[in-house]
Amino acid sequence: MVKPMNSTMAKEFCLLVLLTVLCVSLEDKVTVRRFRRGTRSFRNYCVDSQSAWVYNDGESWLRWKGQRAEYCRCTARRRESCHSVPVTTCYTQQCYNGGRCKEAVYSSDFLCQCPEGFSGPRCEINTMEKCIVGQGESYRGTWSVSRTGMECLNWNSTSLWGKKFTARRPDAATQGLGNHNYCRNPDGDARPWCYFYRGIEVVWEYCNLPSCPRGMNQKNLECVEGTGKNYRGTVGVTKGGTRCLPWDSPVLRNKAYNAWRLNTREVGLGSHNYCRNPSDDSSPWCYIYKGSQLTWEKCEIAKCEKKPTIITTLGPRAPSVINKGTCGQRTESSPSLVPQFRIFGGQQSDITAQPWQAALSVYRSRSKVYTFFCGGVLIDSCWVLSAAHCFNDGFHPKDLKVTLGRTYRLQNSSSEQIFEVEQYWVHEQYDNSTFDNDIVLLKLKSDIGMCAIYTPEVHPACLPEQNLVLPDWTECEISGYGKEQEFSPFYSDRVKRGHVRLWPQSQCVPERLSGHLTTPNMICAGDTRGLDDACKGDSGGPLVCPKEGRFTLIGLISWGDGCGKKDTPGVYTRVPQYINWINRKMQDNNN
């Protein structure tokens, strides 16, 4: 006989049946959450809101927020939690490229105050480095795209766990690896490379970085002159055949010469193992291991051949360093694709339309920022022309900065190249009252003997022959970042271009310029419609004219009576008058 279920068992049975029915009924309504294919989620990370660097749960870091230091931690909810902390000067220098180290008072965490042009937690990233020397083992720039155009993976990504080269290697800093996705060559391959996703697979590929051209200024690249103090080549083996240690090897931290010295850029030390002579010894040298002993040894590098003095009866020529094969050429976008912008009036404009345009900035100690003050013209890899009146305040060269390849004046660009100024020369006969001889020559600073890398956004204008005169009413171009209206309080956010014509010298007279005198060293140009003209802030910029299929620098924007007045030309420094002066300055200071 089957026993009847008691009331308790009956209730449990009914409940079980109800739950079963409910599960079956909901089966088709269950939603499976999916991520779109190809997307990457940082669900296991924190992403720093300022630097976009990636941190794992529980990791901590320091960062600057204005003038204050903040201590941040990646919380369990994958959010950054930050608060201010006091800092002091580090007991042991930790920063590359002359960065100044600041250490949190209550921890061993540190921050680096990086010099202009450098970034990264240790100032190890050189934002001005646009090409590779040799195989690119010392490359520390910001190129982050593979040869086929794929975006590189962050070297700190968890997708690279198990890979040989990641930011988690003990020697990652020495190899240039870190919390970034920039191309590197940590294994001595043929050139820099990176990891990226191909479908769902992580693969690697070389990066299509340009090689630094070998110009005449690079005579010291793979040979030494004198003691080799200025040698910046890539030999990394001693006379005895031993491979040099990297200058940022941990074992060198307490040595007198290493990559963390404040003057590393001046003496050529960095995250590489190339022979150098920071101590002004008899020849370049490096640290090595002999057995288990750390020591140093000199390197065997060929001496530079001395060039014979050439005696010629020919007169002075234009600077031989100008690449006449490519100067004055540009790659322009289609006019329909480029918006209209004004210089005063104007035409469509993009930096590729005037790749010789430079922007000059000066460091203001009171506000502690660089401020734009004038334009300039690139005439060679390390040389820029501008107007002498821009330098009436007698700026110190170390306070100056020259920016090339930037369409938007205040917006960083992957095409830009930024340089410090080594020295500049105002024309000896410059007259501040009449603006006669209104020309200045700037030499850009470089550790490797060459500066600007020629790209569609950065390219020199051609220099004319001495005393060249073009026909009256030749149509030419002007460009700059100056004001769009005479009394506007603001400079232009974007580079602009205008068209003007060369006026006859007979019309470049005081009657046209409110009584102001002109000299034979000046040339007048303007738009007879009164539409296009230079304005304040454009000073030092180019007046280029087409000649034999290239744009030749005929004038430098100097002065004028207002901006865009009808039947009133602008006045420009007549560059063909100064070719011998330019040539002489470049040759005398081309060391």
Side-chain angles (χ1 to χ4, degrees), residues 27-40:
E27 183 178 0
D28 295 331
K29 298 181 181 180
V30 175
T31 301
V32 179
R33 299 188 64 184
R34 298 175 181 271
F35 288 102
R36 264 190 316 137
R37 187 177 181 186
T39 63
R40 299 287 174 256

Side-chain angles (χ1 to χ4, degrees), residues 24 27 76 80 83 88 100 113 152 168 220 225 242 304 347 446 475 509 551 561:
V24 172
E27 183 178 0
E80 60 182 37
H83 62 271
T88 186
R100 297 190 176 274
Q113 292 177 318
C152 298
R168 300 179 181 279
N220 291 337
E225 286 186 338
T242 304
C304 297
Q347 293 283 332
S446 172
E475 186 174 273
V509 292
F551 281 93
D561 180 20

Side-chain angles (χ1 to χ4, degrees), residues 209-231:
L209 271 159
S211 295
C212 297
R214 293 173 179 265
M216 68 172 290
N217 287 338
Q218 279 190 290
K219 59 187 179 181
N220 291 337
L221 187 57
E222 290 302 347
C223 61
V224 296
E225 286 186 338
T227 62
K229 186 175 182 179
N230 296 321
Y231 172 71

Side-chain angles (χ1 to χ4, degrees), residues 217 378 380-384 442-444 446 449-452 454:
N217 287 338
L378 182 70
D380 186 59
S381 176
C382 289
W383 299 92
V384 169
L442 294 84
K443 184 179 182 182
L444 306 182
S446 172
M450 52 82 60
C451 306
Y454 298 161

Side-chain angles (χ1 to χ4, degrees), residues 296 389 451 483:
W296 65 275
H389 76 258
C451 306
K483 298 182 178 182

